[in-house]
Amino acid sequence: MKRPRTLEIRNGEKAIPTFSAGEMNRRVSRLREHMARESIDAVLLTSIHNINYFADFVYCAFGRGYGLVVTQERHVTISANIDYGQPWRQSLGDNLVYTDWHKDNYFVAVRKLIPPRARVGIEYDHVTLQSREKLSVALPDALFVDVGEATMRMRMMKSAEEHALIRHGAAVCDVGGRACVEALREGVREHEVALHSTRAMVREIARRYPHTELMDTWTWFQSGINTDGAHNPVTTRAVERGDILSLNCFAMISGYYHALERTLFLGEPGARALRLWETNVEVHRRGCELIRPGARCCDIAAELNEIYARHGLLDYRTFGYGHSFGTLCHYYGREAGLELREDVDTVLAAGMVVSMEPMITIPQGEEGAGGYREHDILIVNEEGAENVTGFPFGPEHNIVER
């Protein structure tokens, strides 16, 4: 039975976009300018973050390939037939669908959109070895070059429209934080607190962005030993009086990630726990002050290390002091060139958006055991930085008595 390998499906009307036409054209124009400078004939983007950034479409792979092909004349997303018309409705520009009727129809779609003997930009940090080999078969005369690093640098510099969305996202996280505290009591299980927070954030996103897709917003609420890692999943553990707690609210708007993280205690903490918490708050406050244009990421990390070292706590630090924000999530994206770590020498500039999130973990068996972490989002501007996180931090605010 002969079945089509590719289709064009324009089902319904284009969705209301997240950003203006001017904003999306700015992004694609920057990509095309890079292509012209580097003599790149076509770019095939495959990552969720780059396709979202340049096409306003967040795909759900589920074992299938997705793509965005950009040339100087065309802008076409590639999607699987299982999603039918949704990718076209959500995407900037055109869309080409591939079917499941024949093996590797994805690469047939790629071959349709990329001219022969082209110099092709791909994401070296995303394309698997298997996909790379299949691309070579589909495009035997192509010369492949990396665009992953260049596109990351483009995403690092946020526009005014991105800043506006991030302010909304931070405010939604504040709503989630308040919902966490509202649900908190002795005996409540972590997952119940998290569910209450997530529902509150989803409803707030729907109120602020009634035309957006609602996906991927989540909460990690951790207690006791489960606070030791920054990314520990929610469990069914029941909260006990005296527990150290970690509130982690993550609002997702059109693929853009926002976060609020706070240390709390249910009931009065012990003397050492209080000192540890206050030290981490000291680092957090100083870190927020250091985020400004002209500061190097590694220098911020070095100064904050000195505070921990002075208190004898440097060995309890488990990761860097912050990272960039934008189109990313816990399962896709990362702007690795903009992390507040000792091995990153990027200079902060107006337009960038970074977090300040110091954390120390005291292992079980030591007094004050648990993970202490605060997290704010800051937009770097010409004068310094705007902290867009409103939820309070520290012992004077986050010791919950009930």
Side-chain angles (χ1 to χ4, degrees), residues 34 50 122-125 146-156 336-337:
H34 173 77
N50 265 334
I122 60 175
E123 297 174 73
Y124 280 14
D125 60 349
D146 181 44
V147 293
E149 179 79 15
T151 52
M152 177 192 72
R153 298 287 171 185
M154 295 176 202
R155 299 194 315 272
M156 280 165 46

Side-chain angles (χ1 to χ4, degrees), residues 20-60:
S20 70
E23 166 65 11
M24 295 307 296
N25 289 335
R26 179 192 67 82
R27 299 180 187 188
V28 178
S29 294
R30 288 188 68 198
L31 178 59
R32 284 175 170 150
E33 288 166 6
H34 173 77
M35 293 166 62
R37 283 194 303 271
E38 300 298 322
S39 300
I40 297 172
D41 302 297
V43 163
L44 170 63
L45 301 174
T46 51
S47 66
I48 294 178
H49 41 282
N50 265 334
I51 293 175
N52 186 43
Y53 184 77
F54 290 104
D56 199 19
F57 167 49
V58 180
Y59 68 75
C60 176

Side-chain angles (χ1 to χ4, degrees), residues 27 56 58 60 108 250 258 270 283 315 367 373:
R27 299 180 187 188
D56 199 19
V58 180
C60 176
V108 173
F250 306 109
H258 312 88
V283 174
D315 289 343
E367 189 180 358
R373 183 171 68 259

